Amino acid sequence: MKNVVSAPKTDMFRLRINPEIRSEIEEIYAKNGLTLTQAINIFIQQSINVGGLPFSVTEDNAEYIKAQSMKRLMQELEYGKNSGELIDESEVYKMLGVNEE
């Protein structure tokens, strides 16, 4: 779907959030004439438009992104370990574009 605004909204998405943070963010969006739902839909639309996060990653959120990346890497490593396929270490270095030490 390319247009979040005009797309039928038949699915529900639940999000856990601290009530104080929710209240604060709802106030911020209300000052701009938006509900929290509208703001989230704008975020989703912008993510589709740019093909990723609609903002640059800064030091403030870099640690979270790093943690998520490490989690995914560990899941992929576990999957590879359990797949039964063996790949030579030198081939892995080539695949990753890293020089062997």
Side-chain angles (χ1 to χ4, degrees):
M1 264 188 222
K2 298 289 182 193
N3 189 331
V4 173
V5 173
S6 64
K9 298 189 179 43
T10 58
D11 199 9
M12 294 286 292
F13 176 78
R14 292 180 49 113
L15 171 75
R16 290 193 179 275
I17 187 170
N18 177 290
E20 293 168 5
I21 292 171
R22 179 181 177 159
S23 178
E24 184 177 342
I25 199 67
E26 284 177 330
E27 259 183 57
I28 291 169
Y29 291 139
K31 288 177 186 174
N32 292 289
L34 297 170
T35 65
L36 181 56
T37 298
Q38 290 168 326
I40 291 171
N41 279 313
I42 290 169
F43 173 83
I44 292 168
Q45 182 66 60
Q46 283 300 105
S47 295
I48 291 169
N49 292 348
V50 300
L53 291 173
F55 51 81
S56 62
V57 176
T58 65
E59 286 185 24
D60 294 339
N61 57 18
E63 286 303 313
Y64 175 75
I65 301 292
K66 182 179 170 183
Q68 291 300 99
S69 297
M70 286 301 292
K71 179 181 174 185
R72 182 168 180 210
L73 174 62
M74 297 308 291
Q75 288 171 337
E76 291 294 326
L77 288 171
E78 189 65 28
Y79 172 78
K81 180 179 164 186
N82 295 330
S83 73
E85 288 184 53
L86 295 177
I87 300 174
D88 184 57
E89 183 178 344
S90 61
E91 186 63 28
V92 172
Y93 284 114
K94 286 179 194 173
M95 291 168 64
L96 295 174
V98 177
N99 294 327
E100 288 185 63
E101 293 182 25

